[in-house]
Amino acid sequence: MNADIVIKNISQLITIAGENRPRIGKEMSEIGLIENGVIAISNDKIIYVGQGELPKEIKVDDNTSIIDGAGKTVTPGLVDPHTHLVHGGSRENELEMKLNGAKYLDILKAGGGIHSTVRATKNASFQELYSKAKNSLDTMLEFGLTTIEAKSGYGLDTETELKQLRVAKELHKNHPVDIVSTFLGAHAIPMEYKENVEEFIDIVINDMMPKVQEEKLAEFCDVFCEDGVFTVNQTRKILNEAKKYGMKPKIHADEIEPLGGAELAAEVQAISGDHLVAATEEGMKRMAENSVIANLLPGTSFNLSMGKFANARKMIEMSVPVALSTDYNPGSCPTENIQLIMTLASLRMKMTPQEVITAVTINAASSIDRQNEIGSLVKGKKADIVIFNAPNLSYIIYHFGINHIDKVIKNGRVVVDNGKRI
Ligand code: NIG
Ligand code: FE
């Protein structure tokens, strides 16, 4: 078989080889490291992964592009399973409010926070939302992300929710980064429904969901289950209805207050429970029993100065599969930089470099149901590959705040070279 691209002499080739399922406990440290690694690609697929020289059956000719991996670390394309990619406006006005002691949920209650992004998103045209999200997607790609999840939730009315999801669908078609969509119509209670939450929930279920399904706009459904937002009972109701429309549940669970979001994630068999900063041990236990992935977002704890991070060590010890995400959004975590999140996970949640890379590859892919196509470097999987200008994995995490990317290969094509989108 002819190779289109070969990367050889790779200092550290991190394959994450193994079963196509979320890794738990000690498995999160088994990263399939190969020194002096070689990897071959044909079209959009990986055709060989190994050590030293290519075997004879893999043919190299004048059309094969050979990349020297000396001094480099190569990993699967990174996956971000929790973002709020498509939105209007920005919220730097909240910085001083926060410095003066305002709390995230108080800003929200007063009609700011998510509500101010809702206003900006309603006012933005499809094209404006598209261009803004495309710029962010380019940045994400330059940081090594090749697949992301994107949520709606800044419309809170049918028309705007659909507009956001249509933007994500169009970007998925046109941009190298693959986008998996989540319907988050229940992201906040619109100010005008404050006294009438059930009526709003009725709109989410009976007006938004059928339309989302009709246009095939979302594979997952998420709810912000939080004090002053949606209760556990309301979240359960919304997610059970979502299942009838073919959407798999996710939950913004126990982000700030321990409401029982982790327990609910287990009960409704969510694919992931996200945030979990305030999750109880009982909640973690039930998540482990039900194979619900803990999607942790340390950038949010950092940016909200919460003084608390999710207890990743406990979760790993209890065999809850852990994934990591940026949570990219204009309020609680305005960054597209997954490498910074990897550093925060390590320094603030005490995850080892091996656990961190597992959390942003196979476990992240599993948390959007893409574990069979991406998340590890093995024969037959998609050629989504990242080449870091770093001699080893630890270096990427240790030397923080900068972009270590040399090249990104997406679907077998080099789309970032020298750290820049081409
Ligand atoms: O994941 N918590 C709810 N949603 C986002 C923040 C959204 C916003 O502040 O705009 C989160 O933190
Ligand atoms: Fe979020």
Side-chain angles (χ1 to χ4, degrees):
M1 195 178 227
N2 255 48
D4 297 320
I5 299 179
V6 171
I7 315 169
K8 58 182 202 180
N9 308 323
I10 302 166
S11 292
Q12 288 210 339
L13 171 57
I14 293 164
T15 63
I16 320 284
E19 287 177 52
N20 292 337
R21 60 164 176 82
R23 312 292 164 80
I24 55 172
K26 294 222 168 4
E27 292 171 352
M28 285 190 70
S29 307
E30 294 159 14
I31 59 171
L33 173 70
I34 301 175
E35 284 177 354
N36 188 23
V38 57
I39 182 162
I41 299 165
S42 172
N43 292 316
D44 61 343
K45 294 281 186 314
I46 296 166
I47 54 169
Y48 182 80
V49 180
Q51 191 172 41
E53 298 302 319
L54 283 176
K56 277 197 282 305
E57 62 270 21
I58 307 288
K59 305 266 180 288
V60 169
D61 61 22
D62 289 351
N63 295 322
T64 308
S65 115
I66 310 274
I67 298 172
D68 184 13
K72 309 272 198 274
T73 298
V74 172
T75 73
L78 307 181
V79 179
D80 187 343
H82 183 138
T83 86
H84 303 255
L85 174 74
V86 182
H87 59 260
S90 66
R91 309 224 296 265
E92 62 275 22
N93 64 310
E94 286 175 16
L95 177 60
E96 274 188 60
M97 295 163 82
K98 283 195 253 180
L99 292 176
N100 288 325
K103 292 270 167 295
Y104 180 79
L105 289 179
D106 294 334
I107 298 175
L108 180 65
K109 251 184 224 139
I114 294 174
H115 297 296
S116 86
T117 302
V118 167
R119 288 187 285 275
T121 307
K122 281 189 207 291
N123 287 333
S125 66
F126 179 96
Q127 203 46 51
E128 283 163 347
L129 292 178
Y130 184 96
S131 317
K132 181 171 161 57
K134 183 195 167 291
N135 285 339
S136 283
L137 215 47
D138 286 341
T139 307
M140 289 174 167
L141 182 60
E142 286 182 349
F143 276 107
L145 287 168
T146 47
T147 301
I148 69 155
E149 180 255 23
K151 301 175 195 295
S152 65
Y154 290 121
L156 311 183
D157 66 38
T158 306
E159 189 194 320
T160 316
E161 288 293 314
L162 295 177
K163 179 170 69 175
Q164 274 189 278
L165 291 169
R166 287 180 190 134
V167 167
K169 191 171 180 177
E170 194 63 18
L171 275 167
H172 171 68
K173 260 199 259 156
N174 301 340
H175 197 279
V177 173
D178 284 322
I179 302 178
V180 176
S181 285
T182 296
F183 169 59
L184 177 57
H187 191 199
I189 298 158
M191 297 304 272
E192 59 276 27
Y193 286 94
K194 252 181 160 172
E195 307 305 325
N196 231 332
V197 185
E198 291 305 322
E199 203 180 310
F200 177 65
I201 292 175
D202 187 64
I203 295 172
V204 169
I205 293 172
N206 295 312
D207 194 47
M208 297 185 193
M209 285 188 191
K211 291 180 178 144
V212 169
Q213 186 196 37
E214 199 181 294
E215 286 186 49
K216 293 193 174 57
L217 288 173
E219 206 172 313
F220 300 95
C221 180
D222 195 346
V223 175
F224 188 15
C225 180
E226 184 59 66
D227 195 23
V229 194
F230 295 94
T231 65
V232 166
N233 281 339
Q234 291 165 341
T235 304
R236 178 188 292 110
K237 177 173 168 184
I238 295 166
L239 292 177
N240 281 333
E241 290 298 324
K243 285 186 195 171
K244 298 182 192 159
Y245 288 101
M247 291 184 274
K248 290 164 264 185
K250 284 181 169 281
I251 308 181
H252 276 69
D254 301 325
E255 175 175 352
I256 299 162
E257 298 296 336
L259 284 197
E263 288 85 341
L264 182 65
E267 181 195 318
V268 300
Q269 305 264 310
I271 192 159
S272 69
D274 298 35
H275 287 287
L276 304 168
V277 177
T280 63
E281 242 183 87
E282 178 60 26
M284 294 177 201
K285 184 170 157 258
R286 294 201 203 156
M287 284 178 69
E289 284 163 2
N290 288 277
S291 305
V292 180
I293 296 170
N295 215 338
L296 308 183
L297 309 100
T300 308
S301 288
F302 169 73
N303 183 61
L304 294 183
S305 303
M306 289 169 80
K308 209 178 160 201
F309 287 77
N311 195 345
R313 285 261 53 90
K314 178 111 248 153
M315 294 181 201
I316 293 171
E317 192 186 298
M318 293 177 76
S319 294
V320 183
V322 170
L324 289 165
S325 312
T326 59
D327 196 17
Y328 169 64
N329 74 72
S332 70
C333 197
T335 184
E336 294 91 343
N337 184 349
I338 188 73
Q339 293 172 48
L340 179 60
I341 304 303
M342 291 163 71
T343 295
L344 289 171
S346 188
L347 293 179
R348 290 289 197 261
M349 304 198 302
K350 308 281 179 246
M351 288 173 70
T352 65
Q354 291 77 15
E355 289 165 346
V356 166
I357 197 69
T358 302
V360 292
T361 54
I362 193 71
N363 282 13
S366 303
S367 115
I368 46 172
D369 209 9
R370 292 294 186 277
Q371 65 283 358
N372 293 326
E373 297 93 49
I374 55 172
S376 57
L377 298 178
V378 290
K379 189 176 162 184
K381 272 199 166 175
K382 241 189 205 203
D384 289 3
I385 303 170
V386 170
I387 305 177
F388 289 96
N389 231 329
N392 56 61
L393 173 62
S394 295
Y395 188 86
I396 300 164
I397 292 168
Y398 143 89
H399 186 150
F400 73 93
I402 64 153
N403 189 359
H404 290 282
I405 294 295
D406 174 21
K407 293 182 182 28
V408 179
I409 297 172
K410 174 67 191 174
N411 288 325
R413 281 186 39 237
V414 177
V415 288
V416 172
D417 198 7
N418 267 320
K420 291 276 165 267
R421 174 100 162 79
I422 50 173

